Amino acid sequence: MTLTPVLARLDDGLDDALARLMALLRIPSISTDPAYKGDCDAAADWLVQDLESIGFDASKRATPGHPMVVAHGGEGGPHLLFYGHYDVQPVDPLELWDADPFAPAIEDTPKGKVIRGRGTSDDKGQLMTFVEAMRAWVAEHGALPCRITIFLEGEEESGSPSLVPFMKENAEELKADFAMICDTTMFDGKVPAITTQLRGLLAEELVLTGPSRDLHSGMYGGLARNPISVLAKILADLHDENGRITLDGFYDGVPELPDEIRAQWQALAFDHARFLGDVGLSVPAGEVDRTPLEKLWSRPTAEVNGIWGGYTGAGFKTVLPSKASAKISFRLVGEQDPEAIHAAFVRHVEDRLPDDVTAEFPNGHGAGASRMPTDDPAFEAARQALSDEWGMEAAFIGSGGSIPIAGHFQQVLGMNSMLIGFGRDDDQIHSPNEKYDLESFHKGMRSWARILAALAR
Amino acid sequence: MTLTPVLARLDDGLDDALARLMALLRIPSISTDPAYKGDCDAAADWLVQDLESIGFDASKRATPGHPMVVAHGGEGGPHLLFYGHYDVQPVDPLELWDADPFAPAIEDTPKGKVIRGRGTSDDKGQLMTFVEAMRAWVAEHGALPCRITIFLEGEEESGSPSLVPFMKENAEELKADFAMICDTTMFDGKVPAITTQLRGLLAEELVLTGPSRDLHSGMYGGLARNPISVLAKILADLHDENGRITLDGFYDGVPELPDEIRAQWQALAFDHARFLGDVGLSVPAGEVDRTPLEKLWSRPTAEVNGIWGGYTGAGFKTVLPSKASAKISFRLVGEQDPEAIHAAFVRHVEDRLPDDVTAEFPNGHGAGASRMPTDDPAFEAARQALSDEWGMEAAFIGSGGSIPIAGHFQQVLGMNSMLIGFGRDDDQIHSPNEKYDLESFHKGMRSWARILAALAR
């Protein structure tokens, strides 16, 4: 089964592939907001139908949350499990979008054509790259080049509560030789990459309560405890003046970067001034004694993702609020233990609670970091396939993002992952005006066709 | 012109007076939110019509914001200017109200009957006490007991931007012997009071901007500056460990309490445990070396009234936000200068801004504190009238709240104010489920009838 006609078919069928992607993008499958439950379901249905049309044995599988999509096809060769997620991030602040997030369109930009809309890069555009590669393969050769399982979830953007239970219940069905995860970026927008080092994530929500109701600050101010001030102190104390995180034992299990990885990363000549300049910044923040790429890929972080309390509307309302809340996430590396860090965070908060203020910690969840065995020859084969498609040597890189699924595949199914994606740093995932480069979509499909050929060989 | 039949008329006409108040309360005149502009206008129209029905020469007067209502009536005796405001606070969080804030109703509670709804205590219920007293006086005697001007604004809850310009333009028309301001509380719910010491207010809004757009915290966290953390540090540093405010020169012009006032306040036997216990607190916060009543009435404060930034919806969104904002208010006393403190606040913020973070200060406004000349015999006459109505000696008290109008009357019109109101500390003004005691409304009307008689004599 030769590769060349498959690649030609992908080139010829680009418009049809885009039309299918647009149909999927138009479904507002925001998993974190219960109002979009029906849309998540509709996205799963759409995928089942599309995979069946390629010849997969596909089904929607119920969970306590949003459904999974599982599909099987092909025979012989290695067994590859392809993972993606059909849910997307919320779209607020909606007023910062230049167009309806769920009315995707192709746009000309100074850097080339892009597909604009929520989920284009994270993750519907990415997951359709491998689906289209498989469709072309089947259309050309009548069958997939090896045994393939597709496993798509609808809760990746809301903490994946159903994922591990589902994997445990269906371990026999899901276990493959490798997991292929499409949720990552290229290096610097030109160099294709396989992500082999991923940070973990501990997400915390913190709710402080002081007075039993909102008070008039003129009548109670200066005497009643203000929970916003307490929250400010707790968050201000999360980092010391050198950018280090102050939680007790936080750096336990954080490895120093091996010399050879450090050398490789130095060779990548990461341009942090451009990386920051693209988003209106100029000076690296964070730990003062670490290089920018170390901070992004191999160092743990603590970031406040959201904060709210009191009156936040137009004008003034001199309220002394009953509650103040924040969402905080920790990116974890090496052997850092999410449970130990959760406990240290609780202690950090409780040590700073004055009389009359109580703290709750709802909705927290966490997963540790992962590192892949790059000495397995399959990694080299995939890297060569990527290099061939893009005309330059593909890199093994780290990622600042957390893709807990890779850790779960290792821990629950004993399966390593290849993280290969075609997102770009400027895709504005999780932000208004998310986009996916048309080149990423097109060469992404072609890349997967090449990787399938390389691994099936 | 005798008082007794006026009081009897007020007793007999209570139901009619309540029906009028309910009609005014049903108008959602939220001044701070442009969506309710028409309702503010409607409240002004309602008042003009009602005052005309009593015989006042009343008119709605345009301003760049919400209109003023000005009415003149009566002849001879002292000229009294009655001030109130027809605008109300916003109602969020709406879900914490037990009923529609703008469907007012009488409710039985363990402490007696109350009128429940937004604006019942602040300030529509209060302003209707003097309107009803005047209505009864005119109905009984055919005329008011002295020359009266009524001056009602619609921007008190949104910083009163049109007030001073309007007062300056109409100084001749508005200047009277005394201003009567109805926007205050009784002492501890039983003892009637004239408020003679008021804190000023400096309201600040602070908007910090870091990255030019919201970022993915996994992709940028640890390298890009997070404005929420910067805001947390700025707010945490507003107070030192002894509860003192750290702004440079903040305590300049703050007087120590005179010994005789300190003695009077000690005699009031303020029960801070009950005051705090009513709102779920137990321990006085704020300056460690001051008594609770000093903190509430005579010490300056800094309180964060609202904070927001990043993702605040359900679930998690690992965003590193572009912006973080807060609303902060300072209560001012003595000779503290709002402009100097604004400048010190700006320096406090700018001293804590790291590279790449900028600060804006929109919508700030301020007014200094006031103290009334309690040695003027009119104060004693009014105090006696209040004591007669309530059957216990009325007090001269301070107020933690800021009623900038009193300062404006002094500075712009050279006119002192008597601040007499019948609100209670548990009225939940600026909070969900605002109420005004039926007793406050009823005895409030009767109190004004007595005060009119006492001052007109």
Side-chain angles (χ1 to χ4, degrees):
Chain A
M1 295 200 285
T2 55
L3 175 66
T4 313
V6 178
L7 296 178
R9 190 174 276 271
L10 285 169
D11 294 343
D12 294 344
L14 180 59
D15 285 348
D16 289 345
L18 279 170
R20 283 184 289 268
L21 173 58
M22 297 295 189
L24 179 57
L25 289 169
R26 278 191 285 268
I27 306 172
S29 46
I30 301 171
S31 59
T32 201
D33 186 338
Y36 295 89
K37 186 168 174 48
D39 297 296
C40 291
D41 216 52
D45 286 334
W46 189 95
L47 284 160
V48 166
Q49 206 164 14
D50 191 54
L51 292 170
E52 282 175 340
S53 78
I54 303 176
F56 278 94
D57 176 12
S59 58
K60 187 172 74 168
R61 310 277 282 269
T63 77
H66 302 300
M68 306 286 177
V69 172
V70 180
H72 301 286
E75 285 178 12
H79 180 191
L80 304 178
L81 179 128
F82 282 79
Y83 165 87
H85 63 91
Y86 63 79
D87 62 321
V88 300
Q89 279 276 320
V91 295
D92 64 288
L94 189 58
E95 65 272 19
L96 297 187
W97 285 80
D98 296 330
D100 182 343
F102 297 109
I106 308 285
E107 231 177 69
D108 275 308
T109 78
K111 293 182 183 173
K113 283 187 195 299
V114 304
I115 312 162
R116 184 82 66 186
R118 177 54 92 222
T120 48
S121 175
D122 184 18
D123 180 45
K124 290 170 177 173
Q126 301 246 55
L127 79 85
M128 288 304 286
T129 56
F130 66 70
V131 172
E132 294 299 341
M134 293 167 192
R135 190 191 319 274
W137 201 285
V138 170
E140 190 60 36
H141 296 298
L144 293 165
C146 62
R147 186 173 163 204
I148 291 176
T149 294
I150 292 180
F151 178 38
L152 308 174
E153 72 160 320
E155 302 181 331
E156 200 273 345
E157 305 292 6
S158 54
S160 299
S162 309
L163 183 67
V164 169
F166 186 88
M167 280 170 52
K168 285 182 175 165
E169 275 165 37
N170 300 278
E172 275 313 298
E173 181 181 356
L174 294 173
K175 186 160 168 32
D177 296 315
F178 268 108
M180 315 299 286
I181 299 177
C182 67
D183 206 0
T184 57
T185 57
M186 301 173 63
F187 179 73
D188 92 354
K190 291 191 299 271
V191 182
I194 303 178
T195 304
T196 60
Q197 207 164 313
L198 280 171
R199 293 196 288 196
L201 178 73
L202 172 65
E204 296 279 0
E205 192 165 328
L206 172 61
V207 181
L208 299 186
T209 304
S212 55
R213 59 176 174 84
D214 286 0
L215 305 176
H216 185 307
S217 72
M219 205 170 284
Y220 289 87
L223 190 61
R225 184 66 67 179
N226 187 329
I228 298 180
S229 297
V230 177
L231 182 61
K233 173 80 176 144
I234 287 168
L235 298 180
D237 284 354
L238 268 181
H239 297 87
D240 69 15
E241 67 274 22
N242 295 316
R244 276 177 72 88
I245 294 148
T246 59
L247 298 190
D248 208 33
F250 183 77
Y251 289 95
D252 292 353
V254 175
E256 284 303 315
L257 205 58
D259 288 342
E260 73 273 16
I261 297 279
R262 184 183 303 274
Q264 274 182 35
W265 287 3
Q266 272 164 1
L268 286 172
F270 174 65
D271 183 352
H272 74 260
R274 215 197 57 190
F275 181 78
L276 289 173
D278 282 348
V279 296
L281 301 172
S282 61
V283 180
E287 290 178 279
V288 295
D289 56 347
R290 300 288 171 175
T291 67
L293 218 47
E294 257 187 293
K295 293 182 200 180
L296 286 181
W297 288 354
S298 72
R299 297 295 297 174
T301 66
E303 296 291 346
V304 187
N305 304 119
I307 189 166
W308 69 105
Y311 182 68
T312 60
F316 279 94
K317 187 175 166 186
T318 51
V319 73
L320 194 161
S322 169
K323 288 182 189 292
S325 305
K327 295 178 199 266
I328 301 115
S329 62
F330 299 91
R331 301 283 168 174
L332 308 182
V333 303
E335 304 300 317
Q336 278 185 301
D337 174 3
E339 287 181 27
I341 292 172
H342 169 72
F345 177 67
V346 169
R347 284 197 306 277
H348 171 92
V349 171
E350 289 179 345
D351 286 351
R352 285 160 182 81
L353 288 183
D355 291 321
D356 289 338
V357 177
T358 56
E360 293 160 279
F361 302 85
N363 306 321
H365 56 84
S370 335
R371 188 184 293 219
M372 296 304 150
T374 45
D375 48 356
D376 186 305
F379 277 84
E380 190 48 41
R383 197 169 76 89
Q384 189 55 52
L386 282 172
S387 305
D388 292 347
E389 172 62 25
W390 293 81
M392 64 183 73
E393 196 173 356
F396 289 147
I397 65 174
S399 167
S402 303
I403 304 186
I405 182 76
H408 298 320
F409 282 151
Q410 272 180 333
Q411 287 141 31
V412 180
L413 301 180
M415 174 169 64
N416 285 313
S417 298
M418 278 192 214
L419 296 123
I420 300 174
F422 307 97
R424 255 89 171 195
D425 286 346
D426 63 354
D427 280 354
Q428 314 201 159
I429 68 171
H430 296 208
S431 289
N433 299 321
E434 180 179 349
K435 61 89 178 162
Y436 193 48
D437 288 3
L438 186 60
E439 182 192 43
S440 289
F441 187 63
H442 185 188
K443 290 175 88 73
M445 301 189 301
R446 290 173 50 98
S447 297
W448 285 118
R450 287 182 189 271
I451 293 167
L452 285 176
L455 297 184
R457 197 165 289 155
Chain B
M1 295 199 285
T2 56
L3 174 65
T4 314
V6 178
L7 297 177
R9 191 174 276 271
L10 286 169
D11 293 344
D12 294 345
L14 179 59
D15 286 347
D16 289 346
L18 279 170
R20 284 185 289 269
L21 172 58
M22 296 296 188
L24 179 57
L25 289 169
R26 278 191 285 268
I27 306 172
S29 46
I30 301 170
S31 59
T32 202
D33 185 338
Y36 295 89
K37 186 166 173 48
D39 297 296
C40 291
D41 215 54
D45 286 334
W46 188 95
L47 285 160
V48 166
Q49 206 165 14
D50 191 55
L51 292 171
E52 281 175 340
S53 77
I54 303 176
F56 278 94
D57 175 12
S59 57
K60 186 172 75 170
R61 309 277 282 271
T63 76
H66 303 300
M68 305 287 177
V69 172
V70 180
H72 301 287
E75 285 178 9
H79 180 191
L80 303 178
L81 179 128
F82 282 80
Y83 165 86
H85 63 90
Y86 64 78
D87 62 322
V88 299
Q89 280 277 319
V91 295
D92 65 288
L94 189 58
E95 66 273 18
L96 296 187
W97 286 81
D98 296 330
D100 182 342
F102 297 109
I106 309 285
E107 229 177 71
D108 276 310
T109 78
K111 295 179 181 176
K113 282 187 196 299
V114 305
I115 313 161
R116 185 82 67 187
R118 175 55 91 222
T120 49
S121 176
D122 183 20
D123 179 49
K124 290 170 175 171
Q126 301 247 58
L127 77 87
M128 287 305 286
T129 57
F130 65 70
V131 172
E132 294 299 340
M134 295 167 191
R135 190 191 320 272
W137 202 285
V138 170
E140 190 61 34
H141 297 299
L144 293 165
C146 63
R147 185 173 164 207
I148 290 175
T149 296
I150 292 180
F151 178 38
L152 308 174
E153 73 161 321
E155 302 180 332
E156 200 272 345
E157 304 292 6
S158 53
S160 297
S162 309
L163 184 67
V164 170
F166 186 87
M167 281 170 52
K168 286 182 175 162
E169 275 165 39
N170 299 278
E172 275 314 297
E173 180 182 357
L174 295 174
K175 186 163 168 29
D177 296 315
F178 268 108
M180 314 299 286
I181 300 176
C182 67
D183 205 2
T184 56
T185 57
M186 301 174 61
F187 178 72
D188 92 353
K190 290 190 300 271
V191 183
I194 304 178
T195 304
T196 60
Q197 206 164 314
L198 279 170
R199 292 197 288 196
L201 179 72
L202 172 66
E204 296 280 1
E205 192 166 328
L206 173 60
V207 181
L208 300 185
T209 304
S212 55
R213 60 177 174 83
D214 286 359
L215 306 176
H216 186 308
S217 73
M219 206 171 283
Y220 288 87
L223 190 60
R225 184 66 67 177
N226 187 328
I228 298 180
S229 296
V230 177
L231 181 62
K233 173 79 176 148
I234 287 168
L235 299 179
D237 284 354
L238 268 181
H239 297 86
D240 70 14
E241 67 274 21
N242 295 316
R244 277 177 72 87
I245 293 148
T246 59
L247 298 189
D248 209 32
F250 183 77
Y251 290 94
D252 291 354
V254 175
E256 283 304 315
L257 205 58
D259 287 343
E260 73 273 19
I261 298 278
R262 185 184 303 274
Q264 275 182 34
W265 288 2
Q266 271 164 2
L268 285 172
F270 173 65
D271 184 351
H272 75 259
R274 215 197 56 189
F275 181 79
L276 289 175
D278 282 349
V279 295
L281 300 172
S282 61
V283 180
E287 291 179 278
V288 296
D289 56 346
R290 301 288 171 175
T291 68
L293 218 49
E294 257 187 293
K295 293 182 202 180
L296 285 181
W297 288 352
S298 73
R299 296 296 296 173
T301 66
E303 294 290 348
V304 187
N305 303 121
I307 190 167
W308 67 103
Y311 182 69
T312 61
F316 279 92
K317 187 175 165 186
T318 51
V319 72
L320 195 161
S322 170
K323 288 181 189 293
S325 305
K327 295 178 198 269
I328 301 116
S329 62
F330 299 91
R331 301 283 168 176
L332 308 181
V333 304
E335 304 300 316
Q336 278 185 300
D337 175 2
E339 288 181 27
I341 291 172
H342 169 71
F345 177 67
V346 170
R347 284 196 307 277
H348 172 91
V349 171
E350 289 179 345
D351 286 351
R352 286 163 181 79
L353 288 184
D355 292 323
D356 290 337
V357 178
T358 57
E360 292 160 280
F361 302 85
N363 305 321
H365 55 85
S370 331
R371 189 183 294 219
M372 297 304 150
T374 45
D375 48 357
D376 186 306
F379 277 84
E380 189 49 40
R383 198 169 76 89
Q384 190 56 52
L386 282 172
S387 304
D388 291 347
E389 172 61 27
W390 292 81
M392 65 182 74
E393 195 172 356
F396 290 147
I397 63 173
S399 168
S402 304
I403 306 187
I405 183 77
H408 298 318
F409 282 150
Q410 271 181 332
Q411 287 141 31
V412 181
L413 301 179
M415 175 169 64
N416 284 313
S417 299
M418 278 194 213
L419 297 122
I420 300 174
F422 306 96
R424 256 87 172 198
D425 286 345
D426 64 353
D427 280 353
Q428 313 200 162
I429 68 172
H430 296 207
S431 288
N433 298 321
E434 179 178 349
K435 63 87 177 164
Y436 192 50
D437 287 4
L438 186 59
E439 181 191 45
S440 289
F441 187 64
H442 186 189
K443 290 174 90 71
M445 301 188 301
R446 290 173 52 98
S447 297
W448 284 118
R450 289 181 189 271
I451 293 168
L452 285 175
L455 297 184
R457 197 166 289 152

